[in-house]
Amino acid sequence: MIRVGMSTSCVFPLPLEEAFRLARIAGYDGVEIMVTGDRSTQDAATLVGLARSYGIPILSIHAPVLLATQLVWGTNPRRKLEKSAELARAVGASTVVVHPPFRWQAGYARSFEGIVAELASTYGVELAVENMFSWTIGSTDVRAYSPSPYPTELAVDSMTLDFSHAALAGRDGLELAMSMGPRLRHIHLCDGLGGTILDEHLIPGHGAQPVSEVLHLLSSTGWNGSIVAEVSTHRARTTDDRLAILVETLAFARAALANHPSTRPTELKRGKHKKRKLSA
């Protein structure tokens, strides 16, 4: 059975323990830890204790690679990834989610693919590179990530598909899933409408991405990765409102995974480890 987890970012900036509590109440199969400046998200003993107390496993670790977490664990990007992999192994998580390097991290970008492969082998976890997007500043489209915002253009073994990022980039999530092929190992469950500068992280079904179709495909092809809700609840006024968003998101996933077509659709095709020449 495909496990459906919940990112702790769904309830940010509430305390980490509240994320575990709400994930258990909503019925999720596990959690993804977004590593932030909160020391409790960085400490294996604390995380294992919460997982045991609430009876909910840690499925994945999201490395501190956001702009807001650039100073977490120092400024050396390789060391940040290494500590993320160490933490994943210590808490029993199988996956580390990582973004492609920022464009200004030129040295890191040149060695990124090798670092990802090396750490995955050393720590026995998947480092699943997430699809990102270009930034628009005024009328200028800026490639903020290097070598590419799209892991399909990188020589990496594992990838994360985020539907909100796909919408922001003007990409179709099903097309991305197919191009990722068997290297697609992790899903950030959310949605987006696109046409905005905002990373929306809508409830699945509230945007324009083919979220249900992708989940149908994965369910019917024997996929064994993890799906993790990464939806925004910042507009929720009460705990009940926040919980309702989380429950709706989980219900969407369960329905999409259960109601896959009885006939076997086109399987995920094997992607090639090939870089394309990118424009500036």
Side-chain angles (χ1 to χ4, degrees):
M1 184 183 74
I2 298 173
R3 294 186 295 182
V4 182
M6 187 198 89
S7 171
T8 57
S9 67
C10 290
V11 302
F12 184 83
L14 297 181
L16 178 64
E17 185 167 0
E18 184 68 355
F20 277 86
R21 189 181 77 87
L22 291 177
R24 185 182 68 177
I25 293 171
Y28 283 90
D29 299 320
V31 295
E32 175 172 297
I33 303 298
M34 174 68 79
V35 177
T36 68
D38 178 355
R39 293 297 180 91
S40 64
T41 67
Q42 306 169 26
D43 182 69
T46 299
L47 294 173
V48 169
L50 286 169
R52 287 175 177 165
S53 293
Y54 287 92
I56 188 163
I58 298 170
L59 305 179
S60 46
I61 299 293
H62 195 305
V65 290
L66 284 69
L67 278 175
T69 58
Q70 284 299 290
L71 298 181
V72 174
W73 286 337
T75 57
N76 183 319
R78 178 196 170 93
R79 182 58 181 150
K80 290 158 76 78
L81 270 195
E82 188 168 21
K83 286 185 72 66
S84 298
E86 288 175 351
L87 182 62
R89 186 168 68 177
V91 302
S94 60
T95 304
V96 172
V97 177
V98 58
H99 295 177
F102 288 113
R103 189 169 184 171
W104 54 84
Q105 296 174 308
Y108 175 47
R110 283 192 295 271
S111 52
F112 176 69
E113 292 151 305
I115 291 171
V116 166
E118 178 190 340
L119 294 180
S121 175
T122 299
Y123 291 95
V125 297
E126 292 182 317
L127 271 72
V129 183
E130 188 170 359
N131 61 298
M132 299 304 290
F133 42 82
S134 297
W135 292 352
T136 301
I137 301 176
S139 59
T140 303
D141 189 40
V142 178
R143 279 218 171 200
Y145 298 93
S146 178
S148 171
Y150 309 118
T152 51
E153 296 178 341
L154 305 177
V156 295
D157 291 327
S158 302
M159 302 180 187
T160 296
L161 171 58
D162 185 298
F163 290 101
S164 181
H165 295 173
L168 193 54
R171 301 288 298 270
D172 179 270
L174 181 57
E175 178 273 325
L176 272 175
M178 295 298 291
S179 64
M180 289 177 176
R183 293 189 288 165
L184 173 56
R185 300 298 305 139
H186 199 70
I187 295 285
H188 274 167
L189 180 62
C190 51
D191 208 336
L193 292 167
T196 175
I197 63 171
L198 300 176
D199 191 6
E200 301 164 290
H201 286 274
L202 302 176
I203 300 168
H206 289 230
Q209 284 290 310
V211 185
S212 183
E213 289 89 337
V214 172
L215 299 192
H216 285 167
L217 174 64
L218 297 177
S219 179
S220 60
T221 54
W223 187 75
N224 63 352
S226 291
I227 296 170
V228 170
E230 197 178 67
V231 293
S232 173
T233 65
H234 71 276
R235 292 185 178 177
R237 296 185 176 183
T238 66
T239 298
D240 285 345
D241 291 342
R242 181 171 286 107
L243 186 59
I245 292 171
L246 298 175
V247 168
E248 181 180 346
T249 299
L250 179 59
F252 180 99
R254 294 276 189 240
L257 291 169
N259 297 325
H260 62 78
S262 57
T263 55
R264 188 179 180 88
T266 303
E267 293 188 12
L268 294 176
K269 297 180 180 178
R270 184 171 298 278
K272 294 182 180 179
H273 289 207
K274 177 170 101 173
K275 287 187 196 177
R276 290 204 297 254
K277 230 175 182 180
L278 305 176
S279 57

